[in-house]
Amino acid sequence: MQAAAADDKIYLVMGGSEIHCYISLGWALRNVPLHKTLVLVHVFRPCKDCLLVFSLRLELPSNDFHVSARENILTSFELYVRICARKKVRAEKLIVENDDVVAALLDLIVQHQITTLILSSVIDR
């Protein structure tokens, strides 16, 4: 029965710049059937994502880099879910933390019995 539920969801891995995420989301909103749930996936890489906060020259103690970067991602993904709702697309967010994106995605595939996974970098090509 769980496999059928997994088939009702399409997982979209989003990352990179904010504009890249909007492009990926726009593609998904045009191409995902309305009867499917769009699951927006992000693998939060603490070391790399905290460097983004650092590159913005925010003056935060090093321990706060991690918290600030994660909060920015959560805020962005809440906005993406609201955009989906306005377009009448059911959406969920799934944010995991792992330094190894590939390992994290493989774990998600197994845990959630994912049958359809879209990598947003593929959309740009």
Side-chain angles (χ1 to χ4, degrees):
M1 189 71 170
Q2 281 186 336
D7 286 340
D8 290 338
K9 295 184 177 186
I10 294 179
Y11 292 76
L12 173 65
V13 180
M14 298 174 64
S17 69
E18 192 170 340
I19 191 70
H20 187 164
C21 290
Y22 279 113
I23 291 168
S24 300
L25 183 60
W27 181 92
L29 291 173
R30 288 186 305 276
N31 292 284
V32 171
L34 291 177
H35 67 279
K36 301 276 188 175
T37 298
L38 180 62
V39 181
L40 308 173
V41 178
H42 181 76
V43 178
F44 177 72
R45 297 171 293 173
C47 296
K48 185 170 192 288
D49 290 337
C50 290
L51 288 175
L52 173 64
V53 173
F54 180 72
S55 71
L56 296 174
R57 297 190 177 159
L58 298 176
E59 294 184 17
L60 299 171
S62 61
N63 198 22
D64 290 342
F65 285 135
H66 175 82
V67 173
S68 179
R70 195 168 203 307
E71 286 175 0
N72 288 339
I73 290 166
L74 288 170
T75 300
S76 294
F77 272 66
E78 288 169 9
L79 174 63
Y80 304 150
V81 169
R82 287 195 308 270
I83 290 169
C84 291
R86 277 184 271 173
K87 296 290 186 179
K88 308 293 186 220
V89 173
R90 287 181 309 230
E92 301 172 2
K93 61 183 183 287
L94 177 58
I95 301 171
V96 296
E97 195 167 317
N98 194 324
D99 286 329
D100 186 342
V101 175
V102 174
L105 292 176
L106 290 173
D107 287 345
L108 289 175
I109 289 168
V110 172
Q111 289 173 5
H112 295 273
Q113 300 178 342
I114 295 173
T115 58
T116 306
L117 179 72
I118 301 168
L119 300 175
S120 61
S121 62
V122 174
I123 292 168
D124 292 340
R125 296 186 185 151

